Amino acid sequence: MRFLLSTIGSRGDFQPLLALGLLLREQGCDVRLCAPPDFRELAGGLPFVPIGPPLTARTPRPATQLELFASIAETVATQFATLREAGADRDVIVGCNQIQVAAPSVAELLGTRYVFADFSPVVLPSPHHAPVPLPGMPPADPSVDNRTLWQREAARRTAMWGPALNEQRVAAGLAPVEDVLGHVVTDHPVLAADPALAPWVTPADLAVTQTGAWLPADDRPLSAELTDFLAAGEPPVYFGFGSMASPRVTGAAMLEAARALGHRAIVLRGWAGLDAAGDDCLTVTETNLQALFPHVAAVVHHGGSGTTTTAALSGVPQVVVPHLYDQFYFADRVRELGIGVTHTATDSLTDSLKLALQPEVATRARSIAPSIRRVGAQTAADHLTHPPY
C-alpha cells in the first residue's frame, strides 16, 4: 500500500507520524511524509515533501485579525497544492493536526482513502469534555453542556476556515462543506494516545479507534558525555520544553530548583535555546529520551503527549508545566494518576519538584509504567492496512 502521512504541527506531531511511517515501511509499504521543512533532516530516509514555511520562522507576536484571515487563505491554498501533488499516487492519506483542513478534501478529489489521527482525547468532539481553548481564548463556560460547546466550536471553525476551504473546493469541482470540524475529524478518527494515560471515554458520538501512542523505535545510544555525567553522581533531574519557544521556566530557575533539593540537572535546549551552566548541570541538544529517562530522578516538561507518555513508560515522576492546548489535560492526568504534579504559574518550581520527588510518587510511577503500551504504532499500522470499514 502507498501512504502519505501528513502534518503541519510541531515536532510533537511529526515524531509519532515518523514512527508510524518507519513501521509501515518495514512491513513493505510505500510511505511518503509531508511536514514543515523543519523536519526534513529527521525523516529517517523516508521520502519527504515540505509543506508551508518553517515553523521557526513564525513571528512571536500575535497576528492581527486581518493577518489571521490572510494567513488562513494562504495556508489552505498551500495545503491544497502541496497535498494534491504529494498524494496523487497514494492509496491512503493520513492527516494529523486539525489545522490541516485540506487533507480530506484532497483525498476526496483524488478518490483516496482518508484517515484522521490525533494525539489527545480532549481535542476530539465528545459529550464527556469541553473543547480545548486555543491560546488567547477564554476557557469553556462551565454552565453550558459539552455538546452545545462543541456545536459552538464547530461553528467557530467553519466561520474561520470555511471560506478559504470552500473557495479551494469549489475551484476543484467539489461541493462546499458546512461543518469544517466534522469534515476534518470524520466520524471514525484514530486516537494515538495510551489508554491508561489518556483514555477515550465512551459512549460517544465518534467511532474512535484508540491505538496507543505512536512511540518511535529509538535504539540510539546515549552520548559518551551524557553517559559519563550520569555515572558521576546520583540521578539528575531532566528539564525539557521541546518546541515551546518561550517556556514559563528559565534555565536558571531549573538549575536553582534542582540544586535546592540536592540534585544535578540535565537541560534540553529545545526551540527556546535553554542553557544552564555549572559542573552539576549538562545541557544537551538532542538525545534518546527513552534511553535517558529511566536514569533520571524526575522529568520536568511542558506536557506534550510524547514526552508525557515516554516519562510514564519509564516509570519516573513528572512535573508538568503546561503552556497551551492539550498540555493542561496531560498535566491533569499525571496528577490524577499520582505519577507527578502540575506546576502552575503561582507555584514555586522547587516546591513542585519536591512534591514529585516524594517516595510515594516514584512508587506510583513505577507501578503505572507496565500498563503503558509500547505497540501503539503497530496497532495503528494494522488498522490502516486492514481497515474495519
Side-chain angles (χ1 to χ4, degrees), residues 185-201:
V185 171
T186 77
D187 59 0
H188 49 270
V190 170
L191 175 56
D194 187 84
L197 180 63
W200 177 251
V201 181

Side-chain angles (χ1 to χ4, degrees), residues 51-75:
I51 183 169
L55 299 180
T56 50
R58 291 179 178 174
T59 174
R61 67 170 177 81
T64 66
Q65 194 75 3
L66 186 61
E67 289 172 334
L68 179 61
F69 278 99
S71 68
I72 285 175
E74 181 181 1
T75 295

Side-chain angles (χ1 to χ4, degrees), residues 250-270:
T250 64
M254 297 173 195
L255 193 52
E256 178 183 349
R259 285 173 173 168
L261 298 172
H263 283 273
R264 300 177 300 151
I266 295 173
V267 175
L268 180 72
R269 292 187 187 278

Side-chain angles (χ1 to χ4, degrees), residues 60-147:
R61 67 170 177 81
T64 66
Q65 194 75 3
L66 186 61
E67 289 172 334
L68 179 61
F69 278 99
S71 68
I72 285 175
E74 181 181 1
T75 295
V76 174
T78 298
Q79 290 179 29
F80 258 89
T82 305
L83 295 176
R84 190 170 181 175
E85 181 176 354
D89 60 346
R90 303 288 95 180
D91 301 307
V92 184
I93 294 176
V94 178
C96 296
N97 191 300
Q98 294 176 23
I99 298 176
Q100 192 169 234
V101 299
S105 295
V106 170
E108 180 183 350
L109 181 63
L110 297 174
T112 299
R113 180 172 157 230
Y114 166 72
V115 178
F116 176 78
D118 221 321
F119 308 110
S120 171
V122 290
V123 303
L124 297 175
S126 168
H128 302 288
H129 57 251
V132 179
L134 294 174
M137 293 180 58
D141 184 347
S143 67
V144 180
D145 68 277
N146 290 329
R147 286 188 187 278

Side-chain angles (χ1 to χ4, degrees), residues 218-238:
D218 198 341
D219 57 359
R220 293 174 298 164
L222 299 177
S223 68
E225 181 184 35
L226 192 47
T227 301
D228 290 344
F229 183 80
L230 291 170
E234 294 298 313
V237 175
Y238 167 89

